[in-house]
Structure formats: structure tokens, C-alpha cells
Amino acid sequence: MNHPAHQPTESLAGWRAAPATPGTALADVDTPALLLDLDAMEHNMASVHARIRAAGISVRPHAKAHKSIDIARRQIAAGARGICCQKPSEAEVFVRAGILDILITNQVVGPQKCERVARLASQARIGVCVDHLEQVRQIGEAARANQVRVEVLIEVDIGHGRCGIASASDALTLARALQPYSGNLVFGGIHAFRGSAQHMRDPAERSQAVSKAVAQLKEIVAALEGEGLNCITVTGGGTGTYMLEAGSDLYTEVQPGSYVLMDTDYAANRNVGDTPMLRHALFGLCTVISVHPGHAVLDGGLKAFAVDQGLPRVLHAGWTVKSLSDEHTVILRGDEAAPLNVGDKVRMIPSHCDPTVNLHDWLIAVRGDLVEEIWPVSARGALF
Amino acid sequence: MNHPAHQPTESLAGWRAAPATPGTALADVDTPALLLDLDAMEHNMASVHARIRAAGISVRPHAKAHKSIDIARRQIAAGARGICCQKPSEAEVFVRAGILDILITNQVVGPQKCERVARLASQARIGVCVDHLEQVRQIGEAARANQVRVEVLIEVDIGHGRCGIASASDALTLARALQPYSGNLVFGGIHAFRGSAQHMRDPAERSQAVSKAVAQLKEIVAALEGEGLNCITVTGGGTGTYMLEAGSDLYTEVQPGSYVLMDTDYAANRNVGDTPMLRHALFGLCTVISVHPGHAVLDGGLKAFAVDQGLPRVLHAGWTVKSLSDEHTVILRGDEAAPLNVGDKVRMIPSHCDPTVNLHDWLIAVRGDLVEEIWPVSARGALF
């Protein structure tokens, strides 16, 4: 099989130079740039993987958070069994890079997307989620036409109120619907993820949410296994709850994504028991372009930082973020704060890492004050 | 001069296929796609340009809204004297496409960016804004080293509270600071834009804001011209106020950007007097991937729609948007609404066009129910 590493990405990025080269001093990186602190990322990856390994289950990190071939390869090297993606076009980027075990944690609908999944399944182990017979029909026809095997997980709604069936009878209906496609659709088990549970600040509340989900899922798994439909995989969980699913005696793998990068939203969670504390590894680096008595203006705005989970945080003593517009952030000077000058550089912590990374072409991987590597955001914009 | 049309963009987009080809029926476009309704865009462009031409001033549309070479070329063909950009790397995309009169409506700070501007100025007429002596020094040194001429506008803060000086004396200080760089920095006049005024819903309030700004600016212009510093250009205004600056007897050009596309934020403005009503030209097309008794789930979320100005609006009778997550939008079914099915496609109106366009690689230009052309978002991600 032929999967030239980085080839598609390099042709993507070739026309627009990265804001630094390896060896650049941090002070000389052009802005607004997205910095990845390698020490922090390595700490997060090692400690979370160790915690999950200790629980005896697998980690399949979600690549929608970082969209980076380089990070995904390190996750695999650090024991991940594969990765999650959210879209077929995202999975294509990683399969081309040689990552050959991918779960698409989403419903795949429409002829173009089903065809893409079927083609991927000729090169890699690909799973998808279903919660409706029409999805089974569409992916089943594409898998049959392409003579490939696609793993199918039934998505269960455990309180998120988005996708997923909720009852054992619906799960049985879906699982039985795979049978006409046997040989092309392989029943794999259950996918159950509750995004809203990830950000419950109180660990007791998160624990309660996961316990309730596990009870619901155990009933569904029992019903399926009662009909000989073995749930080899029960997968879900994220950065806020992975330690709870890991202790559930049900989940066989967890899907944390943000844990390698972190953001202000996850940092606002209170930690669960003995779980490793995560470090901020992702920072926006901005330049001060305009200064005034009570405020200064940075050269990155809404096109450099996602704001769906609130404003990013500026890391400069006494200064706070007031507002973002398309290409500017206005920061306010507190009473005790030292002034900033035109040309000064400041770091920001994104409020939500996933959509922030998706705004950038490059991750500038730094160690201390030096740029170590430049990593393309290989799956940026992979919407299809 | 050599500026191969679209060459850099095609190498950008080549590895990831567009979600449609010319001639595709709208029903067959892969999703989530960004549709551009050509009839609506042409109406918006023609009527706004006519309104500005009738006032006897110039239009220099802001390309940060659309980031599209194809739209910029049509704007020039429809009488625009040039375009505005917000970043040097954005301007590079348009200069390479042969658009050779660009105002960067921003402070340009840092050696990499000043060098980029100086190189652009060897091929095109390039203007930049200043509000601090340090910016003058940096762009002046780069222009001198490259033996080019850069036009410099003094940015005036007319109430936005972001960049810009506010007084005639500060304007004089900055204008005089250009003199050591004479031959390389050319004083052009004034840039004065108030983003917040664009979205005042009440036209009387907008009118008052512009009148107040014009009084402030007239004083500054008089002080500059009293020292022989002619303000050949007084530029600013946007989609919400361009008709007011056009009637100000001061502004020589206006910079609307969103007018060609429109969004729900601008649509919430009440119109000023005889100003042309603008039509929505930009739509997100999404597929229903999951259906439930009270809600359905679409296949585009925060990575397809910016939400800084609120949620997008779904165009399907009786359905409303509840929430967006990274790759999903949950829509709620009203009591009278017909159900949606897995595979149905629905249109969304973005709440804020600029950062939404920046999330996409392609604009799918449609007329009626047919795809007419596929336009790359050529300056997507041009952050530097």
C-alpha cells in the first residue's frame, strides 16, 4: 500500500509559508501563531495513556481535536490502538499517513461520504456509527458495491440529546438490520458519548452522569448479547470523563481528544480523584499592534481563536481580554499592570481547542523558548 | 509582471476535492457546503455600487469578508477602485491574482509583515494604517530598504475603542514622522472605521454616530491640511453605514465588505432611507444525519459556521436551531413543522459571514438549483 507521509499536506501548505522554521527563537515567530508546548503535550499524553492502560482498557484518541498527523503518530507510538475521526475526509488524511485503525464517531450519510468510507475500508480498519436504518442501508450498499468490510457501532444517546438511539429494542432493530449486509457490515458494539458531561465542573456530577449512562448501556448490551450480538467494543468518553468510563467495567476503550492540548473550558473542570492534572499545551502567540492608555490591541481575533466557549485568556500579568473582532483582540490594562509596547508578543490560552486548531494551517511545536518542529494542521477544513 | 491567476489556490485546494462541480444539481452537492447565490450577490453588488457611485465617491470593498479572488475581480469589474485587506498575507493572494490597488486597513507590525508589505509595494499600490510612531519606523525602514513607496493613512478612532488616534495633534505628530522616509512613505490621508456603528439597529442611531465621527474627522483633516498635508483619501464605513459616509461631504471612499454576502447580523439592521435592500447570498447547505421525535441533527457545526454573532438560522419551516457542537447542529421541530428525514438537505443563513467564509475551502456559486461555478476561498487562513 502506498501512503506517502505528509504529501497531501505539503502541497496544501506549500504556497503559504509557516510563521517559523525549526530553531527559530520564540520571540521571532510571526503571529498570530498557534504554539504547541511539547513538554506539556508529552506530559499530558504519557500520563493519560498510563492512567487508561492501568485500567486495562484501550485509548483511541479523538483526532478532531488536533487534526495533526504528527500528534496522531505520537499517540499511536504512546500506545493508542487507533484514532477517532469525525468525518470521512478527516479519516482520509490519517489513512494516507499510515494510521490504519479509525473509528468515525458519527453518522455517515449521503452517497459521496459512503463511497469515501468504503474506499477507506479497502485500506484500513474503518468503523462508523448508526442510529437509523437509512444510515445502515446507505453504508451497507456502498460497502457491498466496493466489496469491503466496515465495522458498525450503534450509537446510544446517554443524555446528550443529539444523535443515538436510547432503548434496547431500537438497538436490536438496528443490529438485525446489518444482517442482509453480512460480510460487508460487521457489528462491532456500542458508541456512547455525552459531550455535555465532559464539562460538568463538579466531579461528583460527572461521575453520576457516567454511572447513569453505564446502567443504561449495560441493559442494551445485555439485550444485544442475548441475541448473540457480541459487543466487542463499547467506546466513548472524553477528556472530562475518561477516568470514569475506564472504571466502569463496561467501556472497552475511551476517546479523549482535548487532553493533549487543553483549553480554558477543560481547565475549569475540578479534577476527579487521582486523575493526572493536565497542562496547557496549546497557546496562541500574538503581537501587540496598537497601544492606548487603558487598552492594547493584538493581531489575532475571531479568525485565530474560536469563541464558542468564551473568550481566550491572555497570559500577561494584569491584562484581560475585552473583546475579539475578525482580526483583532482588545485587551484591557489593570491598575497594577505594566504597559505593553507595539511589537511585544503575548500568549493566549484558547477557550476551546478543537475549533481553534481548525483555524490554523500550522502548529508551531516549541520546547522552552525554541521552535523544535513545524507541524501542519493536516486535516484542517476536512468538513466532508 | 508575473501573477498567474489562481495558481497558488489551486495547489492549496487540489488535494481536497470540492463538494460539487459546475452543472451539479443543488440536491447533489456534498455537505456541509457554503453556497453563494449568484443572483443575490449580483443584485447586492450592482445596487450598492450604484448607490455609492451616485454619491460621487469610490467603493473599495473589504475582501476580508469573502477572501475570494473571483468575487474581488467582479467587484473591480463593477467599478470598485481597489480592495481592502486586513493582513499582508491576504493582500499577497489578491496581488498574485492581478488586483493591484490594495489598502491594508490595519497596523502592520513586525519585520516579517513589513517585509511582505514592502515586496507587495514593488508590484502594486499598497496602503497601510498607522496610529503609533513605532509602526511608522518599522514600515518606513522596510520601504526604504526595498526602495518602494507605501501609502500611509492615519487611523482615527471614531468611537470603536480599538486602534487609532483621536486628536488633531496626534495626527500631526504621525504625519510629520513620515517626512524622514519621504520617497518611501507617502502620506495619503485618513482611515476611520467604527465596527460597532455598523450594527446599530436603528438607522437614526447609526446616522448620529457617523455625524459625530465626521465632525471629529473634519477637525483633524483641517489641521493636517493647514500644514500642507493633503488628505487625498478619507476612507472607512461598512455595510451598515456606507450610505451615511457617502453623504458626508468628507469621505472619499467607503469599504463595505459583507454587502455582497449578507448575514443575519446585518439583516437585523433597519434600513437607512432609500438605501438598496440587500439579499442573503451566502448559505450553508447541510444534510440531516439523524432524526428524533423533537429534533434532528445536521452535519455542520462550529467548524462550518462561526457563532460569535449568535447561532445561524435554519431555513426550513417550523424548525429552529438549538445548538452547535464541533461538527453538528441540533435543530428543533416546532409543533406545526413537517418532519425531516435522514438525507434531507437544508439551508442555513450564517450569523456572521466573514469568519464563516474563513472556515471553508470553497464557495459553491449557484444560480437557482444549479451549481454554476466553484470558487476557492483563496485567502482562507491568511492570518499573517
Side-chain angles (χ1 to χ4, degrees):
Chain A
M1 190 170 45
N2 182 22
H3 43 79
H6 278 204
Q7 181 267 322
T9 310
E10 281 167 6
S11 90
L12 160 71
W15 70 282
R16 189 176 294 152
T21 50
T24 304
L26 197 47
D28 296 329
V29 173
D30 199 7
T31 59
L34 207 52
L35 307 181
L36 183 66
D37 182 314
L38 289 170
D39 290 334
M41 185 196 74
E42 289 164 5
H43 161 83
N44 294 345
M45 199 183 295
S47 58
V48 169
H49 288 212
R51 178 71 176 75
I52 295 167
R53 195 164 42 238
I57 68 166
S58 302
V59 57
R60 180 186 292 278
H62 215 307
K64 81 181 179 71
H66 56 66
K67 289 180 172 276
S68 157
I69 289 169
D70 300 276
I71 296 178
R73 286 183 174 147
R74 281 161 181 76
Q75 288 172 320
I76 300 285
R81 71 171 300 169
I83 60 170
C84 298
C85 287
Q86 200 70 311
K87 295 291 178 114
S89 61
E90 200 172 61
E92 283 171 359
V93 172
F94 292 100
V95 169
R96 276 195 297 252
I99 293 172
L100 301 181
D101 185 344
I102 297 182
L103 170 60
I104 298 174
T105 55
N106 208 348
Q107 283 60 28
V108 176
V109 174
Q112 295 100 327
K113 291 192 183 72
C114 289
E115 183 66 24
R116 290 177 110 142
V117 166
R119 285 194 203 150
L120 285 175
S122 72
Q123 307 167 58
R125 183 166 182 246
I126 302 291
V128 301
C129 297
V130 299
D131 70 357
H132 193 284
L133 295 175
E134 174 62 13
Q135 299 144 6
V136 174
R137 190 191 66 76
Q138 290 192 13
I139 194 70
E141 296 298 331
R144 182 184 282 161
N146 285 273
Q147 299 180 294
V148 295
R149 291 162 73 90
V150 174
E151 190 174 340
V152 176
L153 303 185
I154 293 172
E155 177 156 3
V156 179
D157 179 6
I158 50 172
H160 195 56
R162 196 171 68 187
C163 299
I165 53 90
S167 69
S169 68
D170 283 348
L172 284 169
T173 304
L174 280 170
R176 287 177 195 137
L178 305 185
Q179 285 162 8
Y181 302 101
S182 74
N184 300 117
L185 298 186
V186 182
F187 176 68
I190 299 290
H191 173 257
F193 172 78
R194 184 174 173 190
S196 54
Q198 304 306 313
H199 299 280
M200 293 170 172
R201 300 311 180 202
D202 176 5
E205 209 184 339
R206 263 176 283 153
S207 176
Q208 215 165 26
V210 172
S211 296
K212 199 178 143 197
V214 166
Q216 176 190 1
L217 292 171
K218 280 186 172 166
E219 218 171 281
I220 291 172
V221 168
L224 289 163
E225 300 202 332
E227 291 214 10
L229 294 156
N230 284 336
C231 296
I232 295 166
T233 299
V234 178
T235 182
T239 296
T241 63
Y242 74 89
M243 67 302 289
L244 298 165
E245 285 94 4
S248 68
D249 202 26
L250 174 72
Y251 277 84
T252 64
E253 69 179 28
V254 286
Q255 311 167 356
S258 306
Y259 74 109
V260 277
L261 305 176
M262 283 295 283
D263 54 33
T264 66
D265 195 18
Y266 269 115
N269 275 5
R270 289 196 301 286
N271 221 27
V272 172
D274 66 336
T275 313
M277 289 295 295
L278 300 178
R279 291 168 55 186
H280 286 294
L282 189 73
F283 300 90
L285 185 71
C286 288
T287 299
V288 175
I289 60 168
S290 181
V291 292
H292 303 268
H295 77 274
V297 184
L298 308 179
D299 65 352
L302 299 169
K303 292 176 185 169
F305 298 97
V307 296
D308 57 281
Q309 299 302 321
L311 304 181
R313 185 150 69 86
V314 60
L315 291 178
H316 206 78
W319 291 80
T320 51
V321 171
K322 180 193 173 201
S323 61
L324 277 75
S325 44
D326 283 5
E327 283 93 357
H328 300 92
T329 293
V330 175
I331 57 174
L332 299 177
R333 184 180 173 188
D335 292 340
E336 309 292 313
L340 283 165
N341 297 310
V342 168
D344 285 352
K345 286 179 177 165
V346 299
R347 284 192 189 211
M348 314 267 281
I349 303 182
S351 52
H352 189 182
C353 57
D354 306 40
T356 296
V357 169
N358 187 53
L359 294 169
H360 292 262
D361 289 330
W362 303 100
L363 288 165
I364 311 304
V366 300
R367 206 176 295 274
D369 287 334
L370 267 192
V371 174
E372 194 166 293
E373 299 196 35
I374 308 286
W375 293 346
V377 182
S378 311
R380 184 217 53 76
L383 289 170
F384 301 105
Chain B
M1 189 171 44
N2 182 22
H3 44 77
H6 278 205
Q7 181 266 321
T9 309
E10 281 166 6
S11 91
L12 159 71
W15 70 282
R16 190 175 295 150
T21 49
T24 304
L26 197 47
D28 296 329
V29 173
D30 200 7
T31 58
L34 207 51
L35 307 180
L36 183 65
D37 181 316
L38 289 169
D39 289 335
M41 185 196 75
E42 289 163 5
H43 161 84
N44 294 345
M45 199 183 296
S47 57
V48 169
H49 287 212
R51 178 71 175 74
I52 295 166
R53 196 164 42 240
I57 68 166
S58 301
V59 57
R60 181 186 290 279
H62 215 307
K64 82 182 178 70
H66 56 67
K67 290 180 172 277
S68 158
I69 289 169
D70 299 276
I71 296 179
R73 286 183 174 147
R74 280 160 181 77
Q75 288 173 319
I76 300 286
R81 70 171 300 170
I83 60 170
C84 298
C85 286
Q86 199 71 310
K87 294 292 178 112
S89 60
E90 200 173 61
E92 283 171 359
V93 172
F94 292 101
V95 168
R96 276 195 297 251
I99 293 173
L100 301 180
D101 184 345
I102 297 182
L103 171 61
I104 298 174
T105 56
N106 207 349
Q107 283 59 29
V108 175
V109 174
Q112 296 100 325
K113 290 192 184 71
C114 290
E115 184 67 24
R116 290 177 110 140
V117 167
R119 284 192 203 152
L120 285 175
S122 73
Q123 306 167 58
R125 182 166 183 247
I126 302 291
V128 300
C129 297
V130 299
D131 71 356
H132 193 285
L133 295 174
E134 175 61 14
Q135 299 144 5
V136 174
R137 189 190 68 75
Q138 289 192 13
I139 194 69
E141 296 298 330
R144 182 185 281 160
N146 284 273
Q147 299 180 296
V148 295
R149 292 162 73 90
V150 175
E151 190 174 339
V152 176
L153 302 186
I154 293 173
E155 178 157 1
V156 178
D157 180 6
I158 51 173
H160 195 55
R162 196 172 68 186
C163 300
I165 53 89
S167 70
S169 69
D170 283 349
L172 284 168
T173 303
L174 280 170
R176 288 178 194 136
L178 305 185
Q179 285 163 9
Y181 301 100
S182 72
N184 300 117
L185 298 185
V186 182
F187 175 68
I190 299 291
H191 172 257
F193 172 77
R194 184 174 173 190
S196 55
Q198 303 307 313
H199 299 282
M200 293 170 174
R201 300 312 179 202
D202 176 4
E205 210 184 337
R206 263 176 284 154
S207 176
Q208 215 166 26
V210 173
S211 296
K212 200 179 142 197
V214 166
Q216 176 191 1
L217 292 171
K218 280 187 171 166
E219 217 171 280
I220 292 172
V221 168
L224 289 163
E225 299 202 332
E227 289 213 11
L229 294 156
N230 284 335
C231 296
I232 294 166
T233 299
V234 179
T235 182
T239 296
T241 62
Y242 74 90
M243 67 301 289
L244 299 165
E245 284 95 3
S248 68
D249 202 27
L250 174 72
Y251 277 83
T252 64
E253 69 179 28
V254 286
Q255 310 168 358
S258 306
Y259 75 109
V260 277
L261 305 176
M262 282 297 283
D263 54 33
T264 65
D265 195 19
Y266 269 116
N269 275 4
R270 290 198 299 287
N271 221 26
V272 172
D274 66 336
T275 312
M277 289 295 293
L278 300 179
R279 291 168 54 186
H280 286 294
L282 189 74
F283 301 90
L285 185 72
C286 287
T287 299
V288 175
I289 59 167
S290 182
V291 293
H292 304 268
H295 76 273
V297 184
L298 308 180
D299 66 351
L302 298 169
K303 292 176 184 167
F305 299 98
V307 296
D308 56 281
Q309 299 302 320
L311 304 181
R313 184 151 69 86
V314 61
L315 290 179
H316 206 77
W319 291 80
T320 51
V321 171
K322 180 193 173 201
S323 60
L324 277 75
S325 43
D326 284 6
E327 283 93 356
H328 299 92
T329 294
V330 175
I331 57 174
L332 300 177
R333 183 179 174 189
D335 292 339
E336 308 293 313
L340 283 165
N341 297 310
V342 168
D344 285 351
K345 286 179 177 165
V346 299
R347 286 192 187 210
M348 313 266 281
I349 303 181
S351 53
H352 189 182
C353 56
D354 306 39
T356 295
V357 170
N358 187 53
L359 293 169
H360 292 262
D361 288 331
W362 302 100
L363 287 165
I364 312 304
V366 300
R367 206 176 295 275
D369 287 334
L370 268 193
V371 174
E372 193 165 296
E373 300 195 34
I374 308 287
W375 294 346
V377 182
S378 312
R380 183 217 54 76
L383 289 171
F384 302 104

